[in-house]
Amino acid sequence: MRSKTRVTVWNEFMHEKKDPEIAEIYPEGIHGAIAGYLRGRPGLDVRTATMDEPEHGLTDDMLSETDVLTWWGHMRHEEVSDAVVDRVYRRVIYDGMGLIVLHSAHFSRIFKRLMGTHCNLKWREAGERERLWVVSEGHPIAEGIGDYFELEHAEMYGEPFGIPSPDELVFISWFKGGEVFRSGCCFYRGMGKIFYFSPGHESYPIYHDTNVLRVIENATRWAAPVERSRPVLGNVKPIEELP
Ligand code: ZN
């Protein structure tokens, strides 16, 4: 077993460069806020990568040294190259790299590829209260979280959410305006584990919230790959002697 989980925090890193109010909330970028928290937690070895680096910072070498990748994007999903989407997809499916998909990355190319559905949803930016209920009592991603936690100002994401039924549902959100949303969803794809977590609108300080950061940390530990050999596939000899 590897002593530390190697985490890469990926961010499109565009809003923070374009909008001074968002830069004020995230002076080191959204990736900087998430990575800064994770670096202070035991057993994690944390790096960051952003869109404008060569190959979006996700070279073969970088990904082969990544156990869990977190992904935040919004404005530039379609600029993520085919090569990088393929590379991340293969690393999840065949090598078991964990993937944490955050907020508006529900529309990222990699999430849509892994889900196979449109991944659309309702939304409203009114700074309303969100209450996230834990609906899977003993789930490791909910460790340290009470029955629920609240975000005073959040962007509303509402159902129907165009994803396949999650393999495990950890959070359901209620919004002041009346909608509900499957806000914490686990998926198993091949060798890999994927967690979608919906809070994270760029104009609110969501990634400074201790509960949100705790959930991301927990999800990182849950999504880390397990150690096992590649399964044998294709034509095989029988294990027992056949008549
Ligand atoms: Zn948003």
Side-chain angles (χ1 to χ4, degrees), residues 9-218:
V9 178
W10 190 87
N11 182 15
E12 157 186 293
F13 197 26
M14 192 69 196
H15 286 287
E16 303 95 317
K17 288 181 186 164
K18 286 182 69 174
D19 187 332
E21 287 179 18
I22 293 167
E24 203 169 304
I25 301 170
Y26 296 113
E28 311 295 327
I30 283 172
H31 55 298
I34 295 170
Y37 169 80
L38 293 177
R39 283 189 182 115
R41 306 299 299 157
L44 305 177
D45 187 356
V46 183
R47 291 191 287 183
T48 63
T50 54
M51 182 86 173
D52 289 333
E53 294 170 39
E55 301 182 58
H56 313 318
L58 299 175
T59 58
D60 264 330
D61 283 351
M62 185 73 167
L63 280 180
S64 68
E65 294 168 359
T66 298
D67 298 315
V68 179
L69 177 66
T70 77
W71 192 282
W72 197 101
H74 181 216
M75 300 166 87
R76 301 171 67 192
H77 294 314
E78 298 312 312
E79 292 175 47
V80 176
S81 73
D82 288 346
V84 166
V85 174
D86 287 348
R87 199 178 287 161
V88 172
Y89 179 85
R90 286 196 308 270
R91 184 92 178 110
V92 171
I93 297 291
Y94 296 111
D95 301 333
M97 182 182 74
L99 182 67
I100 315 295
V101 178
L102 296 168
H103 188 59
S104 41
H106 68 91
F107 261 162
S108 62
R109 294 187 63 205
I110 184 60
F111 188 59
K112 288 193 290 187
R113 171 94 171 263
L114 284 160
M115 296 298 106
T117 54
H118 60 71
C119 299
N120 206 348
L121 44 74
K122 289 190 179 74
W123 63 275
R124 172 173 63 242
E125 197 181 338
E128 66 204 87
R129 181 181 305 147
E130 175 176 2
R131 184 173 297 137
L132 294 96
W133 288 95
V134 176
V135 295
S136 182
E137 287 175 279
H139 203 284
I141 292 179
E143 189 170 336
I145 305 293
D147 286 0
Y148 65 87
F149 71 94
E150 292 182 348
L151 297 166
E152 202 48 45
H153 302 288
E155 179 180 23
M156 187 281 293
Y157 273 9
E159 296 283 345
F161 183 18
I163 50 170
S165 290
D167 295 305
E168 294 159 11
L169 185 59
V170 185
F171 293 100
I172 293 176
S173 284
W174 166 92
F175 290 88
K176 180 82 170 157
E179 290 84 358
V180 296
F181 190 68
R182 289 170 289 173
S183 47
C185 304
C186 299
F187 304 91
Y188 293 83
R189 290 292 183 274
M191 289 279 282
K193 299 192 267 312
I194 301 150
F195 183 62
Y196 174 76
F197 190 45
S198 64
H201 188 64
E202 64 278 359
S203 61
Y204 309 120
I206 303 287
Y207 298 117
H208 297 303
D209 181 273
T210 52
N211 287 307
V212 167
L213 292 168
R214 178 68 192 262
V215 170
I216 293 172
E217 177 190 350
N218 291 344

